[in-house]
Amino acid sequence: MIKIRNYINGKLCEPMSGQYLDNYDPAQGVVYSLIPDSDERDVAAATLAAKNAFHDWSHMKHADRSKILIRISEIIEERLEELAMAESIDNGKPLWLAKSVDIPRARDNFYFFATAAMHFASESHATADNTINYTLRTPIGVAGCISPWNLPLYLFTWKIAPALAAGNCVVAKPSEITPMTAFLLSEICMEAGLPPGVMNIVHGLGPKVGQAISEHPDIPMISFTGGTKTGAQIAATAAPMFKKMSLELGGKNPNIIFADCDFEKMIKTTLNSSFSNQGQICLCGSRIFVERSLYEKFKTRFVSEVQKMKVGDPMNDDSRLGAVVSKPHMEKVLSYIDLAKEEGGTVLTGGHAVNPGGRCESGWFIAPTIIEGLPYKCRTNMEEIFGPVVTIMPFDTEEEVLQYANATEYGLAATLWTENLNRAHRMAAQIKSGIIWINFWLHRDLRTPFGGMKNSGVGREGGWESFRFFTEAKNVCIKY
Ligand code: NDP
């Protein structure tokens, strides 16, 4: 059985407790590897290593730092098949998805931020009375990076790459539910020649390892992606210590469909925006609002297309959906389907666990589920389910659907389908979410600001926003 180890000060090491946790393959429902049950002592060792490495790393020439990070990106590319297989086994997602999305994106994250570091410039402000202000943006020190299980290496590297590129050292914690590709990344960092201590990965439980990172006085900034409740817990710990925080949290995203949309394009994309990665993407559109004149046509076609989506072994190319990430998560998603029925919803398709048989007969699979007939303000439509479950409902006017769309405590992403340009701009300006896709979904240009409003987060990452987060701005004013 594979024994995952921490990566501290350039070496793979056992947790100080000597204890390990079980790691499951969700498609088979079996333990297949062991994860270090680390604690605050491992975090302290990792933080010390990062602090000691900071001077040299932050003073290294941009081009040299870039070269090492580009080498990491290249090795990810060289090991793409192996990493994709590891991600699929660990998370339950289809192998084709890990190969085409997760791992290429992890590769691109390193490449993008490594090259961006060579172009990052700061501002200067000159005035007529012979003064000039310039802004120094310097790396801060040790960055704490905590990431979730749904897009494990993709989101892990989305934080780590800019933190390192900006000249910081890192103490990172992947989700304890999906630690495998972070472990493989440790090997890749060593192979790429990343100096010891620059990057440290501590595996283990959120309340132990994540909490220790949030609390550590020598970690002045936290970049976190995960659930809103956990984000609140981290903020409660870190805010009184005046740490810099970037919190990318949950979502309950609206998908708004007007009758004048390009129907075929919308149907194809809506299947993805509803059920990609088993609906376990913070950007999935889980509340689908359809203009009444199109509602019946949409419903008939959407249900029939969803019924064709195959749920099965993540290793098979024809599986559209794989396993959900864990047994507790499967139970949570199924309990929300029960809640939807109690709230008066009708399940149009799905609504149950699936047994694909064969080697996956003990795995955790759920049929893609469509529910209709619910009020927009019920719990099913307000709370994040984070699984292959969507609700559909009709609307009559722009004002009405805006009210529906903005009704939740979340504000991460929204999708809008219309061929009416004026309406598209009008709606985009009024929907309260950090990202709006018009006639598309999940196009990610890494230069754009990424993040949510309301309970979906604080701060923005992506492009220069990431560099600004991972540096401290200092104004220098000269009179000459
Ligand atoms: P969690 O909030 O449960 O966990 C996220 C990370 O935080 C994990 O590494 C977890 O460790 C850790 N953690 C748990 N408790 C603490 C704590 N007290 N202090 C510090 N760290 C802690 O989220 P999930 O992993 O369940 O991920 C799903 C959530 O992530 C959804 O809400 C989803 O919307 C959100 N998400 C948001 C995105 C965005 O960009 N806005 C993108 C992707 C997901 P452990 O795994 O050991 O519990």
Side-chain angles (χ1 to χ4, degrees), residues 78-100:
E78 287 159 22
R79 295 176 64 170
L80 194 144
E81 296 281 328
E82 175 200 356
L83 286 161
M85 179 63 81
E87 202 72 295
S88 171
I89 293 170
D90 214 22
N91 174 278
K93 68 179 67 209
L95 179 59
W96 61 261
L97 185 65
K99 264 191 213 172
S100 59

Side-chain angles (χ1 to χ4, degrees), residues 147 149 173 175-176 206 210 224-227 230 248-250 282 384 450:
S147 61
W149 49 255
K173 186 197 116 50
S175 170
E176 141 258 335
F224 168 79
T225 299
T230 316
E248 306 284 355
L249 309 176
C282 54
E384 188 183 41
F450 180 88

Side-chain angles (χ1 to χ4, degrees), residues 146-151 155 173-177 204-207 209-211 214 224-228 230-231 233-234 248-251 281-282 384 386 412 450 456:
I146 304 173
S147 61
W149 49 255
N150 62 327
L151 301 164
L155 289 173
K173 186 197 116 50
S175 170
E176 141 258 335
I177 301 166
L205 297 169
V209 176
Q211 184 66 23
S214 313
F224 168 79
T225 299
T228 295
T230 316
Q233 166 71 33
I234 290 173
E248 306 284 355
L249 309 176
I281 301 181
C282 54
E384 188 183 41
F386 215 56
L412 188 55
F450 180 88
S456 288

Side-chain angles (χ1 to χ4, degrees), residues 444-459:
R444 288 284 299 117
D445 180 329
L446 304 189
R447 295 169 300 177
T448 58
F450 180 88
M453 297 181 177
K454 303 195 277 185
N455 291 6
S456 288
V458 178

Side-chain angles (χ1 to χ4, degrees), residues 413-480:
T415 309
L416 187 59
W417 290 95
T418 177
E419 294 292 305
N420 178 333
L421 190 61
N422 287 332
R423 170 152 61 204
H425 288 302
R426 202 162 50 232
M427 294 287 291
Q430 293 180 84
I431 296 170
K432 293 196 178 78
S433 71
I435 300 153
I436 308 215
W437 283 292
I438 298 172
N439 300 331
F440 204 68
W441 178 72
L442 203 54
H443 181 272
R444 288 284 299 117
D445 180 329
L446 304 189
R447 295 169 300 177
T448 58
F450 180 88
M453 297 181 177
K454 303 195 277 185
N455 291 6
S456 288
V458 178
R460 293 291 180 273
E461 296 185 352
W464 300 140
E465 300 282 348
S466 292
F467 278 90
R468 291 196 189 101
F469 175 74
F470 284 114
T471 54
E472 194 77 86
K474 183 192 285 176
N475 181 63
V476 180
C477 181
I478 309 165
K479 181 93 180 159
Y480 60 94

